[in-house]
Amino acid sequence: MPNTTIFSAKKIITMNPSRPEASHVAVRDGRILGVGSLEELATWGDYTLDTRFEDKVLMPGFVEGHAHAMEGSLWAKVYCGWFDRADPNGKLWMGVKSVDAVVERLQEAEAVLEDATTPLSGWQLDPIYMDNTTVTRADLDRVSTTRAVGVLHASGHIMNVNTKALELAGMLKQGLNHPGIPLGADGFPTGELKGPEVMTPVGPFVGYERNMLDADETGLRNFAKLCVRTGTTTITDLASRMDDDAVDVMLRVTNEPNYPVRLMPFRFFMGLSAKELIVAVLAFKKRSTDRLRLGQIKIVVDGSIQGFSARLRWPGYHNGAPNGLWYIAPEHLSELLHLALEAGLQVHTHTNGDQATQLVLEKLGPALQAHPNPDHRFTLQHCQLADAAQFRTAAKLGMCVNLFANHHFYWGDEHYALTVGPDRATRMNACRTALDSGMPMAIHSDAPVTPLGPLFTAWAAVNRITASGRVQGEEERIQVHEALWAITMGAAYTLHLDGEIGSIETGKKADFAVLEVDPTACDPMLLKDIGVWGTVQGGRIFPAASL
Amino acid sequence: MRQDIPVIVIGGYLGAGKTTLLNHLLRHADGRKIAILVNEFGDLPIDADLIEAKDDEMIAISGGCICCSFGSDMTAALIKLAQLDSAPDYVVIEASGVAMPGAVAASISFLDGFNLGGVVVLADSERIRAQAADEYLGDTMLRQISDADLIVQTKIDLISSDVVQDVRDWLGSANPKAQVVATAQGRLPPEVILGVEMVAGQPQASAHADAGYESRVFSEIPPCDPIKLAKSLATGAVGIIRAKGFVADQAGQNWLIQIVGERFDVTLAKAKEHIAVVCIGRKGALKTGAIGVMFAGDAD
């Protein structure tokens, strides 16, 4: 006789429209045996009643459809961000609000390092909130002159280093002529390095190796801890370079008995030709396990809006900056879409600017005519500037969208004033329009770009508050139940996992987010503050307090 | 101490003829050890009969050349190349079809052991004007062209000579500071792409198999202001595609001058050198008389 556990809860929000609420859920072999009243579930035979969630609210485990496992690895470094942020062990790091405060925090970390030459690295610096103050090597020299110090910006595209780091990398010299290496009055680099190609030579000396995209073992475990703390039971790594070693590491770690999350890495398109990529990803797909879902492709079409590298349609950037960069040639994109459809592999495309989105729509149409697949669920990731016509076309093409719904909070004021101007900033990440156009929709954090936190992302989509406290785009706000759908069923659908996860429903995985407060009954402004007790994943119980 | 390795960045959109040009270059390497860096091997740029051995990251090519794939990390690949026991004489980077070759070139500038040997951008004679007007690609194509020191107008055998001239004029106006050379099947002399060859530390004039180009050696060069001289050679509209050689200043110090298009580079020589400069240009367009006047110091 298999073991059945019946959990009682203050309330179970199932996200199953046929039975939206219940008091009990029965779990057998890691799956949901049934949802309903105790009497109904008792008809399955012997059971153990577990009342630990009696004063909690259960939801389906949250699904994060766009994050990066490197968030887990970054926490081995010193947090230098503007906003308060909780680490994998639950410690809340207060945001640092000035260059002096950044230096002070690094000094504290430096003081406990024993070896005199160990590099010190920090992350998530965002001078945009400090009136774009430039951090110099002189600032970081106050941390150490004997060890290399490097701080990565929140964008991931800029790094500040100290004099020692420049010296070790052979870059402490005059006469360098590169737009990514600002020079001081003395003709030497200021220590600010803009762009991956100038960061690479220094990276290894300051603790940032070149394969930063791939999380190490500890990083993967830390990533999972963050998931438990935020109620997340399935998460993507979008994208991974996924060489064989990286896949082996992911298989080994996710297979550990107490690994609490289902990981879905997407293979980054760069580095292989279209045909080779398809072969490689088909081979990965065969190695999938329940907790490591392999076999998807991520294509990056353009850059970022705040970095002015996204591709925009007319009238372009509000401040007159030249249009952004393509990261894939249109023919290459088209070839990949054709081949992936033919091979039955799913593709998610990063498009920030509306011109990049338009290119994907135009290339996918003919590819679908050549290789019809009514259920491809190719997904527009970020898709921040799409207008209503683009959402309508995308819906017709059978696409899904995963909008960067918390972006307004972090950069909404910048977009309004600088990058795209008031009008388009107001319609950015247009959740209302996407849903009204019939698009299957998810919302995401893009962690580590912004902190992992499905309830925070839901709060952002519902309220659209910017960092300065303005409501930006009130017409694009969505209802709480729609936002909750987006972080569960919506995201599961974009991953082709809606038959397995995303709702608390017979036959699905026993994946739950265990909440202290009912998100459907609280003030929508408090969604982000709801306490998360932990998760249940595949029937295994993970209290955040004992991670 | 080893000389800096010249790095040539080859840009241009898909189908512009980069693969054909690279293969022609490898077939006529003529003892030069060339390392070609590509994003990926996928649409293998190297003709099969040239390949001696291949693994995941490197292809060995007859004549001592190699081809390496760098995925998304070019800087790391260059650092690795510089550490090879048998370092290449030249590095040629094939930039991806939508990359900005100027940005790729800029990232060479701070790498020890390398020296930018020019940005060469290929333009398909048949398609470039339509590409430059394309809604999605137009600005990218124009930015690529404006990044060039040398524009190679390819596939001229597929269109009439009138159109060749029209496209050439258009390219010239899209980037007035670049030299434009036209070719079919990528048949350009290696020194046009790579720069003047150095043998035993001295620039060599070569006899061109292709009758369309000529090399001239200028050796009657009195002491001069090297930067001023290099600038007038590069920008004086005297038809120089590439030039390289040593001159002396008034104080007797020797300087290495390198020119491609309007880009010039003047560096202090490490020792006393034989004073001579080799200039390459299209036959008939290389204004040897005017160049001689510049070397004689009578330009102004």
Side-chain angles (χ1 to χ4, degrees):
Chain A
M1 192 66 196
N3 291 325
T4 301
T5 303
I6 296 181
F7 295 98
S8 58
K10 187 158 78 181
K11 182 176 178 182
I12 300 174
I13 302 168
T14 68
M15 305 312 287
N16 169 14
S18 325
R19 192 158 209 182
E21 289 179 14
S23 58
H24 292 76
V25 55
V27 174
R28 182 188 286 174
D29 294 336
R31 301 172 72 182
I32 296 164
L33 182 65
V35 189
S37 66
L38 185 59
E39 294 73 31
E40 288 173 319
L41 299 176
T43 59
W44 282 100
D46 289 347
Y47 64 87
T48 307
L49 182 65
D50 189 327
T51 59
R52 77 179 82 195
F53 300 139
E54 206 149 58
D55 61 343
K56 311 290 180 202
V57 174
L58 296 188
M59 276 195 67
F62 298 138
V63 182
E64 172 52 270
H66 191 147
H68 301 272
M70 70 181 282
E71 159 103 37
S73 306
L74 285 171
W75 279 107
K77 306 174 191 308
V78 183
Y79 179 67
C80 298
W82 173 263
F83 296 95
D84 303 347
R85 189 155 172 163
D87 74 11
N89 294 317
K91 175 177 173 181
L92 184 69
W93 292 80
M94 303 308 283
V96 284
K97 307 293 186 186
S98 68
V99 175
D100 284 341
V102 172
V103 168
E104 202 174 308
R105 177 162 293 174
L106 289 164
Q107 283 168 337
E108 285 164 20
E110 201 271 345
V112 298
L113 289 177
E114 286 175 5
D115 188 274
T117 56
T118 312
L120 182 68
S121 20
W123 64 290
Q124 207 65 8
L125 182 66
D126 208 343
I128 212 168
Y129 303 111
M130 304 176 189
D131 297 325
N132 285 306
T133 312
T134 306
V135 178
T136 66
R137 62 188 163 92
D139 294 320
L140 297 182
D141 286 347
R142 286 158 54 201
V143 179
S144 176
T145 53
T146 58
R147 71 176 85 247
V149 180
V151 184
L152 187 65
H153 286 212
S155 70
H157 290 285
I158 300 178
M159 189 186 278
N160 287 105
V161 300
N162 70 347
T163 303
K164 185 71 185 178
L166 287 173
E167 190 187 306
L168 289 171
M171 283 168 65
L172 191 63
K173 54 189 178 188
Q174 290 168 307
L176 292 172
N177 177 19
H178 189 285
I181 307 179
L183 303 178
D186 57 1
F188 285 95
T190 62
E192 185 161 73
L193 306 172
K194 301 178 180 176
E197 73 274 13
V198 296
M199 282 157 47
T200 303
V202 190
F205 298 104
V206 293
Y208 283 102
E209 298 297 332
R210 51 185 282 238
N211 54 352
M212 268 183 343
L213 267 184
D214 297 338
D216 56 2
E217 295 201 11
T218 310
L220 285 173
R221 292 186 195 107
N222 278 335
F223 192 48
K225 285 184 182 180
L226 289 165
C227 290
V228 172
R229 293 187 188 284
T230 56
T232 309
T233 52
T234 297
I235 192 161
T236 51
D237 182 12
L238 213 83
S240 167
R241 288 188 312 121
M242 283 171 90
D243 53 28
D244 287 336
D245 288 346
V247 173
D248 288 343
V249 167
M250 285 190 281
L251 278 167
R252 192 160 61 239
V253 173
T254 57
N255 195 39
E256 288 168 2
N258 285 321
Y259 197 74
V261 68
R262 188 175 296 100
L263 183 66
M264 196 161 188
F266 280 56
R267 180 29 164 113
F268 189 45
F269 78 105
M270 254 182 212
L272 291 175
S273 72
K275 290 190 187 72
E276 288 173 324
L277 182 69
I278 298 293
V279 171
V281 175
L282 281 171
F284 288 141
K285 196 172 184 174
K286 294 200 180 107
R287 301 181 71 189
S288 283
T289 63
D290 173 38
R291 288 208 287 275
L292 186 71
R293 302 302 179 93
L294 300 160
Q296 306 75 224
I297 294 167
K298 157 102 176 271
I299 299 174
V300 177
V301 181
D302 68 344
S304 75
I305 300 166
Q306 67 271 28
F308 299 99
S309 51
R311 291 290 310 189
L312 268 54
R313 294 187 296 186
W314 191 86
Y317 286 101
H318 188 243
N319 70 346
N323 210 343
L325 300 170
W326 295 110
Y327 291 144
I328 185 168
E331 282 90 338
H332 186 186
L333 170 65
S334 178
E335 184 188 12
L336 264 175
L337 294 174
H338 276 268
L339 292 174
L341 282 168
E342 193 178 28
L345 293 175
Q346 201 194 13
V347 174
H348 283 199
T349 48
H350 157 129
T351 64
N352 268 313
D354 52 352
Q355 194 189 36
T357 298
Q358 189 66 22
L359 182 70
V360 170
L361 297 177
E362 286 185 15
K363 295 299 180 191
L364 184 61
L368 277 168
Q369 284 184 319
H371 311 281
N373 178 349
D375 197 24
H376 58 81
R377 304 191 201 181
F378 283 18
T379 299
L380 294 161
Q381 290 284 352
H382 302 324
C383 198
Q384 297 202 71
L385 278 172
D387 65 11
Q390 291 183 319
F391 283 122
R392 285 190 291 269
T393 302
K396 283 282 184 201
L397 289 170
M399 297 194 82
C400 311
V401 68
N402 191 345
L403 294 170
F404 203 160
N406 69 18
H407 210 82
H408 331 88
F409 177 72
Y410 292 102
W411 291 285
D413 295 318
E414 294 292 319
H415 292 315
Y416 190 92
L418 197 65
T419 63
V420 296
D423 186 25
R424 286 176 295 170
T426 302
R427 76 139 196 261
M428 278 179 76
N429 294 293
C431 293
R432 177 80 272 140
T433 302
L435 289 176
D436 291 350
S437 307
M439 288 216 75
M441 186 191 80
I443 52 179
H444 67 265
S445 69
D446 200 12
V449 178
T450 76
L452 178 62
L455 284 170
F456 179 85
T457 310
W459 169 86
V462 166
N463 297 292
R464 291 184 71 103
I465 308 273
T466 69
S468 70
R470 291 184 305 116
V471 174
Q472 186 160 299
E474 49 189 313
E475 301 304 327
E476 291 296 347
R477 294 181 298 189
I478 57 174
Q479 300 294 311
V480 170
H481 68 90
E482 292 169 317
L484 295 179
W485 181 271
I487 59 174
T488 53
M489 285 301 289
Y493 186 89
T494 67
L495 303 174
H496 271 297
L497 293 178
D498 53 314
E500 288 185 63
I501 59 170
S503 63
I504 301 179
E505 198 170 340
T506 301
K508 287 193 169 182
K509 307 284 185 197
D511 291 1
F512 312 133
V514 183
L515 310 179
E516 302 288 357
V517 173
D518 178 356
T520 62
C522 73
D523 176 351
M525 276 301 286
L526 298 179
L527 273 177
K528 64 180 168 60
D529 305 313
I530 290 175
V532 176
W533 177 91
T535 59
V536 176
Q537 208 270 3
R540 301 166 305 152
I541 298 166
F542 298 101
S546 51
L547 283 173
Chain B
M1 190 173 148
R2 200 154 73 186
Q3 282 280 339
D4 284 352
I5 304 169
V7 180
I8 294 89
V9 179
I10 309 267
Y13 195 61
L14 314 180
K18 289 181 284 187
T19 300
T20 309
L21 182 89
L22 290 176
N23 279 294
H24 182 85
L25 199 57
L26 290 171
R27 284 185 192 284
H28 299 83
D30 205 13
R32 300 174 181 88
K33 285 191 296 174
I34 305 171
I36 293 180
L37 291 187
V38 296
N39 265 115
E40 66 235 16
F41 286 151
D43 305 310
L44 193 61
I46 310 302
D47 288 345
D49 64 305
L50 292 172
I51 296 176
E52 286 181 344
K54 178 177 187 233
D55 65 24
D56 282 350
E57 286 184 354
M58 194 184 285
I59 295 174
I61 295 162
S62 51
C65 297
I66 54 173
C67 179
C68 307
S69 68
F70 61 83
S72 47
D73 198 343
M74 187 192 74
T75 309
L78 280 169
I79 292 170
K80 218 160 121 184
L81 268 185
Q83 291 162 351
L84 286 180
D85 291 338
S86 162
D89 302 325
Y90 299 89
V91 175
V92 176
I93 297 173
E94 184 192 352
S96 92
V98 284
M100 299 301 170
V104 177
S107 59
I108 309 300
S109 63
F110 59 86
L111 285 178
D112 276 339
F114 296 97
N115 174 42
L116 181 63
V119 175
V120 179
V121 173
L122 276 58
D124 178 338
S125 296
E126 278 192 300
R127 294 164 68 199
I128 186 64
R129 296 190 69 172
Q131 287 165 342
D134 183 86
E135 179 191 352
Y136 294 110
L137 287 172
D139 62 312
T140 302
M141 297 296 101
L142 291 172
R143 277 152 86 177
Q144 287 184 348
I145 290 170
S146 67
D147 281 351
D149 301 310
L150 176 64
I151 299 170
V152 179
Q153 182 187 351
T154 60
K155 307 190 181 179
I156 56 168
D157 49 337
L158 303 180
I159 54 174
S160 73
S161 57
D162 286 355
V163 180
V164 170
Q165 190 57 47
D166 280 354
V167 173
R168 179 192 197 90
D169 293 345
W170 179 84
L171 287 168
S173 63
N175 178 355
K177 69 176 173 47
Q179 287 282 331
V180 183
V181 298
T183 179
Q185 312 300 329
R187 286 193 293 261
L188 286 173
E191 52 271 34
V192 169
I193 301 300
L194 301 175
V196 176
E197 195 181 10
M198 303 285 272
V199 173
Q202 284 300 309
Q204 301 294 303
S206 54
H208 291 283
D210 186 323
Y213 295 87
E214 65 177 317
S215 288
R216 289 293 289 270
V217 185
F218 296 84
S219 50
E220 300 294 317
I221 309 173
C224 62
D225 176 339
I227 292 177
K228 204 169 138 195
L229 173 65
K231 189 173 181 187
S232 56
L233 291 169
T235 60
V238 289
I240 293 175
I241 296 171
R242 283 193 175 272
K244 190 173 194 174
F246 294 101
V247 299
D249 64 16
Q250 305 291 353
Q253 284 189 307
N254 290 2
W255 297 79
L256 175 65
I257 290 181
Q258 300 180 82
I259 294 170
V260 51
E262 287 197 359
R263 181 193 296 276
F264 61 91
D265 191 23
V266 179
T267 48
L268 191 60
K270 287 166 180 124
K272 284 282 178 199
E273 303 285 353
H274 175 65
I275 302 301
V277 174
V278 177
C279 298
I280 301 174
R282 282 187 297 128
K283 194 164 261 181
L286 192 65
K287 296 177 181 164
T288 50
I291 294 170
V293 170
M294 287 175 178
F295 279 121
D298 303 333
D300 43 22

